[in-house]
Amino acid sequence: MKVLDRHLATLFAKNLALCMAGFLTLYMVVDFVEKISDFLHHEVSFDKVAIYFLAQIPNVSVLLIP
C-alpha cells in the first residue's frame, strides 16, 4: 500500500471514529433523557441502568454505521 493510501485510510478511520463517538453519545443522552422517568418510577439501580446502556452500544452502532 502506498504512503498516501495509508494516510488517507488513517484520516478516514479517525474521522469515522470521531463521528461515531459523537453520534453514539448524542443518541445515548437522548435515550437516557427519554427513559429516566421510567427508571426512577421503577427504582432501578444505577448499576442496572449502566449495564442497560452498555448493552445498547452494539445495537446503536449497527444503526449508525451506514
Side-chain angles (χ1 to χ4, degrees):
M1 186 183 284
K2 295 182 181 179
V3 175
L4 183 59
D5 292 339
R6 274 189 300 209
H7 179 67
L8 290 175
T10 303
L11 286 175
F12 177 76
K14 286 180 183 178
N15 286 333
L16 178 64
L18 183 63
C19 288
M20 286 290 295
F23 285 127
L24 183 65
T25 302
L26 182 64
Y27 186 93
M28 290 296 182
V29 167
V30 169
D31 196 30
F32 178 75
V33 168
E34 287 180 355
K35 294 181 179 171
I36 188 69
S37 63
D38 293 336
F39 293 143
L40 292 175
H41 177 70
H42 295 290
E43 298 177 1
V44 179
S45 67
F46 176 76
D47 296 341
K48 291 189 180 188
V49 172
I51 290 171
Y52 171 78
F53 282 108
L54 287 174
Q56 290 296 319
I57 289 174
N59 186 29
V60 174
S61 297
V62 168
L63 293 174
L64 293 176
I65 287 177

